[in-house]
Amino acid sequence: MRRLVLIGDDPHFAHTLAQATAGLCEVVQSTSDASAPHGTEADVIAIAAAPSRPRLHLVLQSLPSGFSHFATGIALVRARQRGGRTLLIDCALPSLSVEALGLKAAYTLPDAARDLPRMDRLLLDAALDRHAPSGLGVLPLAGDNAQAADQLSPADLLALILHLRDHFDDVIVDTGGIRNPGLIGELASHATGIDLLCEQTLPSVHGARSLLALAASAACTINLVVEHHDPAILLTPAQIAETLGLPAATVLPHARAALANALNAGEPLVMADPGSSYGRAVAAAAGLASAGGTPSLVARLLGRLP
């Protein structure tokens, strides 16, 4: 007899596996270590399944540019391929992600902060700007009135982001030029993923080092992302990673012309040409395939069963 052992306490995940494997094997749920049940005579596949929780992903810019192709790109890719509820919080000033996606910035972070006491899913669905092709919700720091952003204290912004996290499956925060130590540190401590953007210049490396110090409380791995990589520049991604004490970097190819042309045509490059080298790199950084998605966990497990 073949047994499929589920380690964890997420009943929905167990139910999904039980349905998918009906008639093929016995599904046994356990909260103990991933060891084979006594008397099992054949292969045992153990799954570590923790209860699902919202994802909070930070994108830290070593040299704030006002618009992050990368942050917007991974948000679009995740919204399109993962489905569910995905939100991009753009803390850059000016908040150009809204303009880049053809949205109006009618609802901003200061507006959301005022609505916090009565905020629920219905309010957010009605108020948020959404990118129709992907379903991505976008919440900028400010619209036409940039001075409104001054009304938000770091504590207010932190409370708002953590509250918004509970209404979405995936929240990507482009921190823009924020350098408040308490805010970056608290966000890092709650993050499930962090990308640190850096270019092949010493000022960018110095900026990245400063952000690393602010994010020292992070409980997750910090992923170094080298943007606009040019092999002709002597400062290599490997040297940057070594200087910062981080694992090997994710490298985004130099694609300024393609990025600009796609935006000028009204569609970000990751949507216009997901199979491009840049689109594939962003999708990989987002943990997804650039086209067609990756096989689900259940499908991969079933492929291992005889």
Side-chain angles (χ1 to χ4, degrees):
M1 180 179 67
R2 300 275 191 241
R3 283 191 175 188
L4 181 60
V5 180
L6 174 64
I7 307 298
D9 56 1
D10 186 346
H12 302 292
F13 193 71
H15 179 66
T16 299
L17 281 177
Q19 285 187 318
T21 58
L24 296 179
C25 64
E26 177 183 357
V27 177
V28 180
Q29 184 170 0
S30 172
T31 57
S32 61
D33 293 335
S35 57
H38 180 70
T40 300
E41 298 177 353
D43 295 339
V44 176
I45 302 175
I47 316 297
S52 60
R53 62 185 177 120
R55 290 180 289 265
L56 177 63
H57 194 101
L58 302 186
V59 178
L60 307 177
Q61 297 186 43
S62 61
L63 293 177
S65 62
F67 174 64
S68 170
H69 287 280
F70 177 78
T72 305
I74 63 170
L76 286 169
V77 168
R78 287 183 173 182
R80 183 180 58 183
Q81 292 199 21
R82 280 181 173 161
R85 297 170 58 82
T86 302
L87 174 68
L88 171 63
I89 299 177
D90 183 0
C91 294
L93 280 177
S95 299
L96 298 180
S97 61
V98 174
E99 183 176 345
L101 296 176
L103 304 177
K104 296 181 180 179
Y107 193 71
T108 64
L109 283 167
D111 297 324
R114 286 191 293 271
D115 288 339
L116 188 57
R118 63 188 186 95
M119 182 175 289
D120 58 17
R121 182 167 291 196
L122 290 176
L123 184 153
L124 289 169
D125 287 345
L128 278 176
D129 284 323
R130 289 192 181 276
H131 179 246
S134 66
L136 174 68
V138 182
L139 187 58
L141 180 56
D144 296 332
N145 182 15
Q147 293 181 344
D150 296 335
Q151 303 169 10
L152 278 179
S153 70
D156 291 337
L157 184 54
L158 174 64
L160 177 58
I161 290 174
L162 295 182
H163 185 84
L164 287 166
R165 175 194 59 179
D166 295 334
H167 291 284
F168 292 87
D169 302 313
D170 216 345
V171 175
I172 295 92
V173 180
D174 177 4
T175 59
I178 293 176
R179 294 296 184 269
N180 181 275
L183 179 55
I184 294 295
E186 283 295 319
L187 286 174
S189 70
H190 287 90
T192 56
I194 300 176
D195 286 314
L196 175 60
L197 305 187
C198 189
E199 297 188 14
Q200 292 170 276
T201 67
L202 288 179
S204 186
V205 174
H206 291 320
R209 180 181 286 158
S210 297
L211 280 170
L212 275 178
L214 297 182
S217 59
C220 61
T221 300
I222 297 179
N223 177 44
L224 173 64
V225 178
V226 176
E227 292 191 291
H228 314 301
H229 174 244
D230 187 340
I233 297 177
L234 298 180
L235 182 59
T236 67
Q239 290 172 325
I240 295 172
E242 182 179 3
T243 299
L244 296 175
L246 293 175
T250 296
V251 177
L252 300 183
H254 191 283
R256 289 185 189 274
L259 288 166
N261 288 336
L263 276 185
N264 292 341
E267 191 172 30
L269 185 57
V270 296
M271 298 286 290
D273 190 3
S276 65
S277 58
Y278 183 88
R280 292 194 306 270
V282 170
L288 300 166
S290 60
T294 55
S296 69
L297 177 59
V298 170
R300 295 199 303 271
L301 287 171
L302 293 180
R304 293 176 55 187
L305 292 174

